[in-house]
């Protein structure tokens, strides 16, 4: 499992179509939401399911439809981080990076920058402090994404000026 898969709880089979995977992810979110409403211990699974749904929607070309679950996943991980400091920082970094990707996919590269910066900051802290969830490869990926977001925002600014 790579850093993009963290927190999803499940992996799909190669033979599963994207439509089937998307339908399954939507069912999973509904089930996890119900569990989280009954017991806050279900929040991490809900956040993971939302993250997965967002990624599948984005991969299927549903750019605006992928934004809401990405925002919700990031919000849940941020909330979990407040409740249990340090326990969900890697997942929050992943969710912030994904949220930046979703925002950039909607055509606003400048608005994606803060999310990319936050992902870098969170993962850098984990690496520097040698905390659980620290990943140098994930930090490198977030740094590359941040650089790409800077370049995209610069190009967009030059086109509008």
């Amino acid at each position: 499992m790579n850093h993009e898969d963290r927190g999803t709880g499940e992996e799909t089979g190669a033979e599963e179509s994207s439509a089937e995977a998307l339908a399954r992810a939507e069912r999973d979110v509904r089930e996890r939401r119900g569990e989280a409403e009954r017991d806050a211990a279900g929040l991490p699974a809900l956040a993971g399911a939302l993250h997965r749904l967002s990624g599948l929607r984005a991969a299927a070309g549903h750019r605006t439809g992928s934004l809401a679950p990405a925002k919700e996943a990031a919000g849940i991980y941020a909330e979990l981080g407040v409740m249990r400091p340090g326990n969900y920082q890697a997942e929050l970094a992943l969710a912030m990076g994904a949220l930046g990707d979703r925002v950039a996919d909607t055509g606003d590269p400048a608005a994606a920058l803060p999310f990319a910066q936050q992902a870098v900051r969170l993962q850098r802290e984990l690496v520097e402090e040698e905390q659980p969830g620290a990943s140098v490869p994930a930090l490198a990926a977030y740094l590359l994404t941040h650089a790409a977001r800077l370049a995209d925002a610069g190009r967009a600014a030059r086109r509008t000026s």
Side-chain angles (χ1 to χ4, degrees):
M1 185 178 330
N2 68 29
H3 75 278
E4 288 296 323
D5 295 326
R6 283 184 57 127
T8 62
E10 296 180 26
E11 294 186 40
T12 61
E15 69 282 349
E16 184 176 42
S17 76
S18 61
E20 291 169 336
L22 191 54
R24 189 165 62 104
E26 289 170 349
R27 280 191 309 274
D28 192 36
V29 165
R30 284 192 300 274
E31 290 170 10
R32 304 289 181 194
R33 189 178 305 285
E35 292 168 8
E37 288 171 358
R38 288 187 297 279
D39 184 356
L43 284 172
L46 173 59
L50 287 161
H51 175 77
R52 181 171 177 270
L53 176 61
S54 175
L56 288 170
R57 283 183 177 173
H62 304 290
R63 292 190 168 133
T64 55
S66 67
L67 195 54
K71 284 180 182 178
E72 188 176 357
I76 291 170
Y77 282 130
E79 180 183 330
L80 288 167
V82 169
M83 293 183 334
R84 295 180 212 116
N87 285 359
Y88 292 95
Q89 191 164 333
E91 290 80 3
L92 179 57
L94 177 64
M96 294 302 278
L99 181 53
D101 292 344
R102 304 304 169 253
V103 170
D105 287 346
T106 65
D108 192 353
L113 269 171
F115 302 109
Q117 289 169 324
Q118 184 73 341
V120 168
R121 184 190 67 75
L122 290 164
Q123 191 58 238
R124 181 176 281 141
E125 284 177 5
L126 289 170
V127 168
E128 288 174 353
E129 297 171 11
E130 299 179 9
Q131 295 293 314
S135 169
V136 173
L139 177 57
Y142 296 145
L143 286 165
L144 288 170
T145 299
H146 182 247
R149 297 286 171 248
L150 284 169
D152 292 345
R155 279 191 291 277
R158 284 190 297 279
R159 279 194 300 267
T160 61
S161 58

